[in-house]
Amino acid sequence: GVFENLKMGNRRLVQRGPQFNVWRAATDNDGLKLFPVVEWGSDRILDQWRKAGYDRLELVETKTDVQDVEGKVVVLINQRWRCPGMDRIIVHDHRYTLSSTGGLKVRNHFTVDADLPELPRIGVSLVLPSDLENLEWFGRGPWENYSDRKRGAVFAHYRSTVADEYVPYILPQEHGNKTDVRWMEMHDDGGQGVRFSATLPMEASASHFTASDLYAAKHTTDLKPRSEIHVNLDHAQRGLGTGSCGPDTLPQYRILPGAYDLNFKISGTE
């Protein structure tokens, strides 16, 4: 139920994905990742995430169907992901519609079991070829920003590189997020690449590290950048709060169990 190769003409745009994703590399405000869960207790959100098993979801069922809808190819995928720590299910329904112009419309619907704790994020991840290093987006920037850390990030059109989005926190953690994103694209030096255009404003990021890379590292020197590019497209990501030395994330910036949608279009760039 995951694309392993997406091309436009002879140009490879996506190596893998979109694939369901709820995990983020825990921030210091989420909890201290170096502490065993049993020692820290259940008052920190990171412990709740680890106990639920958000960092090790298990795909237990996939159903696929291909249809011809008014002359357009539509791929329907239903996936059930198990949270092993609580034996609860998150359902991901995704629908792909190939347009006559070559663009791919993607509709994601997520249903999170009511007994699960709040989520780190809710969205999808993709892997892109290494030569799509140039990054552009229309949203808040130029620096990283989050739902409760965006007042100082101005809404505009920005240019950067994937490598420059890395923030070298001494204890590696989530970084580089952008909010209120209308579109994000990665392209090579000739301008050819892939664009993700949101139906409604989304959150997005691109990195040479996976969340697992960051979460496993104890220091910046433990990290080795991957050649490929890892992209996150989210309906939402949990706000940062001030939990390392103050109050936790405010309620309005949290992601509770329920139903969520993330819709966007994948297209090539000129």
Side-chain angles (χ1 to χ4, degrees):
V2 179
F3 288 105
E4 293 185 348
N5 193 6
L6 180 62
K7 290 184 177 181
M8 182 171 289
N10 293 322
R11 178 72 189 185
R12 192 176 191 184
L13 301 180
V14 176
Q15 293 182 187
R16 183 173 175 82
Q19 185 169 34
F20 177 60
N21 183 34
V22 298
W23 183 243
R24 78 176 179 191
T27 69
D28 289 345
N29 289 344
D30 295 332
L32 299 181
K33 66 182 182 181
L34 302 183
F35 277 39
V37 178
V38 292
E39 292 186 14
W40 192 255
S42 60
D43 58 331
R44 300 298 294 274
I45 191 61
L46 175 58
D47 287 320
Q48 296 181 38
W49 292 346
R50 293 192 293 191
K51 288 177 180 178
Y54 287 156
D55 58 333
R56 54 189 188 279
L57 293 182
E58 300 172 353
L59 180 60
V60 294
E61 184 179 48
T62 298
K63 297 179 181 179
T64 61
D65 187 26
V66 180
Q67 301 177 358
D68 184 335
V69 180
E70 298 179 349
K72 296 180 180 179
V73 177
V74 178
V75 180
L76 304 173
I77 303 174
N78 173 274
Q79 293 179 313
R80 294 169 58 84
W81 293 84
R82 176 177 173 267
C83 302
M86 297 182 65
D87 196 23
R88 291 294 186 269
I89 295 295
I90 301 177
V91 178
H92 178 202
D93 289 301
H94 31 144
R95 175 188 179 112
Y96 301 88
T97 304
L98 184 63
S99 69
S100 59
T101 58
L104 191 65
K105 293 183 178 180
V106 186
R107 297 181 62 183
N108 299 277
H109 182 73
F110 312 100
T111 307
V112 183
D113 189 288
D115 290 335
L116 287 168
E118 57 180 284
L119 304 166
R121 71 193 327 147
I122 186 85
V124 297
S125 61
L126 305 96
V127 182
L128 308 187
S130 59
D131 61 338
L132 304 185
E133 176 65 19
N134 298 289
L135 173 67
E136 293 189 42
W137 74 95
F138 189 48
R140 292 189 181 270
W143 34 74
E144 63 176 3
N145 52 90
Y146 297 80
S147 58
D148 59 350
R149 293 287 193 286
K150 66 180 185 179
R151 184 165 294 183
V154 179
F155 186 83
H157 175 197
Y158 294 98
R159 293 181 175 88
S160 181
T161 65
V162 176
D164 284 345
E165 292 305 298
Y166 172 62
V167 182
Y169 292 111
I170 293 176
L171 187 65
Q173 54 194 281
E174 185 70 28
H175 65 269
N177 190 63
K178 307 291 187 293
T179 61
D180 296 331
V181 174
R182 271 54 172 183
W183 57 261
M184 174 178 279
E185 72 175 46
M186 276 67 60
H187 57 81
D188 61 18
D189 292 339
Q192 294 186 332
V194 61
R195 172 180 286 202
F196 304 99
S197 303
T199 302
L200 296 175
M202 62 181 176
E203 300 190 33
S205 63
S207 177
H208 285 294
F209 303 102
T210 67
S212 297
D213 294 337
L214 297 166
Y215 186 67
K218 298 179 181 179
H219 198 279
T220 52
T221 55
D222 297 332
L223 291 171
K224 181 180 179 181
R226 295 174 182 262
S227 60
E228 70 272 16
I229 297 166
H230 294 267
V231 174
N232 293 305
L233 306 176
D234 295 311
H235 168 88
Q237 185 177 161
R238 190 182 198 261
L240 299 180
T242 59
S244 63
C245 59
D248 195 6
T249 303
L250 294 175
Q252 62 267 37
Y253 304 117
R254 301 179 184 184
I255 309 171
L256 301 178
Y260 298 94
D261 293 290
L262 172 65
N263 302 324
F264 55 88
K265 180 180 179 181
I266 303 176
S267 59
T269 59
E270 296 295 334

